[in-house]
Amino acid sequence: MYRKDLQILLSKNNFPNFFFLYGADNFQSELYANFIKQKYNCDENLKLFFEEYNFTRASDFLSGGSLFSEKKLLEIKTNKKIPTKELKILVELCKNNQDNFLLLEFYDEISKQSDIEKIFENNFARFFKPNNTKEGIELLAMKAKELNIEITQNALYTLFSTFDENLYLAASELNKFIGLKINEKDIEQYCYSLNSGNFESFFEKIIKRINFQNELERILENYNEIALLNYLSATFYRLFKIAIYAKINGKIDFKELLGYTPPPIIGQNLSQQAFSLKIEQYKEIFNLLLKSEYELKTNSKLVKKEFLISSLLELARILKT
């Protein structure tokens, strides 16, 4: 099913006790995962995120009894395929016990997951990037409501446009205003986007294997670590799309890839950057950025600035291999 179908399903009482989320927009996967967890309202929750996934732990949690809870939720976030046999067993444990709940979130924005869809039957939603500004603002409004923020339509538009219509970055800024009433002026005063020129210069140094620590220090003065990681992920993903498209089609069509045709010099620069990396390097980069984001979001004891610098030094090492 698609987002609108899921929205209708969430409004009903009989929501299925096992569900699968994936697609081309990680922001929507995270947003709707929160809505589903509220719907489940479980007493006990086991989270197995990325490398933490272990089938024995997962199946033992759902199959074992508990003195302290009736409803149990197993939440799995991953960017790697889980063996079909294991998923079938976990789903079956939910089918056999309506007090068991399984929420699977697959973070791979590229491929269609037909095999997993079959295992989850009709209990899945596939997300796509917003088609237009109106749809993006609607999603931001839902996030604001979740955070108990009273926000004007103009403020939502300003926030969305400030961050170049990147939902993930715009939504991250909303965390500054939890429980408040805000307008357009508040967004203009307290929300800062990376200056595109500064970021492009910073990224140019990264991709050319030039020391970038001074630029990083300046950028982090006005920007948080999560947002910077998301900018890097989006930029590397754009290059990856160019490289894969050229490999499959033997040519580059920027209009089809990006939705617009950049000036020749910029197009040439993008092509050079895309082809300067091997496919295996892209894989390592995406894994590193995803794991770094996870640590920043979940480890409250982390010294974020130092951790990000360490991660980017690892990124530099990957680029040099």
Side-chain angles (χ1 to χ4, degrees):
M1 67 180 69
Y2 299 122
R3 182 173 70 88
K4 289 183 178 179
D5 302 311
L6 176 56
Q7 194 70 43
I8 294 171
L9 184 60
L10 281 166
S11 67
K12 298 180 179 179
N13 293 325
N14 56 337
F15 195 89
N17 66 328
F18 57 96
F19 210 86
F20 170 46
L21 301 172
Y22 84 103
D25 190 356
N26 290 342
F27 167 77
Q28 292 182 63
S29 292
E30 287 194 5
L31 179 68
Y32 279 92
N34 290 338
F35 294 154
I36 291 172
K37 285 185 286 187
Q38 292 171 17
K39 194 78 174 176
Y40 285 159
N41 191 28
C42 291
D43 306 307
E44 189 176 356
N45 189 355
L46 175 62
K47 299 178 180 180
L48 298 178
F49 293 172
F50 303 103
E51 302 301 328
E52 295 174 344
Y53 173 74
N54 177 281
F55 173 67
T56 302
R57 281 190 69 193
S59 58
D60 285 352
F61 175 75
L62 291 179
S63 59
S66 175
L67 296 173
F68 307 103
S69 61
E70 292 183 359
K71 295 183 177 181
K72 295 189 294 184
L73 167 61
L74 171 62
E75 183 181 4
I76 300 172
K77 292 186 180 184
T78 184
N79 59 346
K80 297 179 180 178
K81 284 284 184 71
I82 296 175
T84 299
K85 183 179 179 181
E86 296 179 5
L87 281 179
K88 285 182 177 178
I89 292 172
L90 296 177
V91 167
E92 198 63 31
L93 286 169
C94 291
K95 287 182 177 180
N96 294 336
N97 185 346
Q98 291 300 306
D99 287 331
N100 281 342
F101 297 84
L102 170 62
L103 179 58
L104 174 63
E105 301 156 50
F106 194 81
Y107 290 92
D108 177 355
E109 297 189 344
I110 301 172
S111 55
K112 179 174 171 62
Q113 305 299 324
S114 301
D115 293 343
I116 304 179
E117 287 183 1
K118 291 177 183 177
I119 295 170
F120 279 76
E121 300 166 359
N122 291 322
N123 303 333
F124 71 88
R126 184 183 182 191
F127 300 110
F128 297 88
K129 297 288 186 184
N131 290 319
N132 48 55
T133 300
K134 181 176 179 292
E135 189 175 344
I137 289 176
E138 286 175 357
L139 287 163
L140 268 185
M142 292 169 66
K143 182 64 180 179
K145 185 177 180 180
E146 181 192 14
L147 297 175
N148 193 30
I149 298 171
E150 188 177 338
I151 184 170
T152 65
Q153 199 72 7
N154 284 343
L156 286 170
Y157 178 80
T158 301
L159 180 62
F160 195 48
S161 59
T162 296
F163 289 88
D164 299 322
E165 300 193 352
N166 185 312
L167 271 173
Y168 207 102
L169 298 180
S172 296
E173 288 296 297
L174 284 174
N175 289 300
K176 295 178 179 179
F177 307 107
I178 295 175
L180 300 178
K181 181 178 181 179
I182 60 172
N183 57 32
E184 186 178 354
K185 289 183 179 179
D186 297 316
I187 298 297
E188 291 172 346
Q189 183 175 357
Y190 297 109
C191 295
Y192 306 95
S193 175
L194 274 173
N195 177 279
S196 60
N198 288 343
F199 179 76
E200 286 171 9
S201 173
F202 172 62
F203 186 78
E204 188 82 14
K205 289 198 171 186
I206 290 178
I207 204 77
K208 288 184 175 179
R209 290 77 165 169
I210 299 172
N211 187 292
F212 52 78
Q213 191 156 342
N214 289 337
E215 283 76 7
L216 177 62
E217 294 282 348
R218 286 197 293 270
I219 285 173
L220 288 178
E221 287 178 3
N222 291 316
Y223 216 75
N224 69 59
E225 295 80 5
I226 295 291
L228 179 56
L229 282 177
N230 277 281
Y231 260 102
L232 285 170
S233 296
T235 306
F236 275 113
Y237 180 60
R238 179 175 61 179
L239 298 182
F240 177 69
K241 284 201 302 182
I242 293 170
I244 288 296
Y245 186 95
K247 188 172 183 179
I248 294 172
N249 299 284
K251 63 176 183 178
I252 297 175
D253 185 338
F254 284 113
K255 179 67 174 177
E256 184 174 344
L257 278 164
L258 308 177
Y260 66 94
T261 302
I265 294 177
I266 294 177
Q268 184 179 2
N269 189 47
L270 286 172
S271 299
Q272 289 174 347
Q273 290 179 346
F275 300 139
S276 71
L277 299 175
K278 301 172 184 176
I279 298 300
E280 188 59 34
Q281 285 177 301
Y282 280 114
K283 180 180 178 182
E284 289 187 59
I285 289 167
F286 293 136
N287 280 333
L288 171 67
L289 294 175
L290 199 59
K291 289 177 181 177
S292 298
E293 181 183 346
Y294 170 72
E295 282 296 317
L296 286 168
K297 285 183 174 180
T298 59
N299 190 345
S300 59
K301 297 180 181 179
L302 208 62
V303 182
K304 293 184 176 182
K305 184 176 179 180
E306 284 75 4
F307 175 78
L308 180 61
I309 292 172
S310 174
S311 296
L312 292 182
L313 290 175
E314 176 64 15
L315 173 61
R317 183 198 66 76
I318 293 171
L319 292 170
K320 289 178 181 179
T321 55

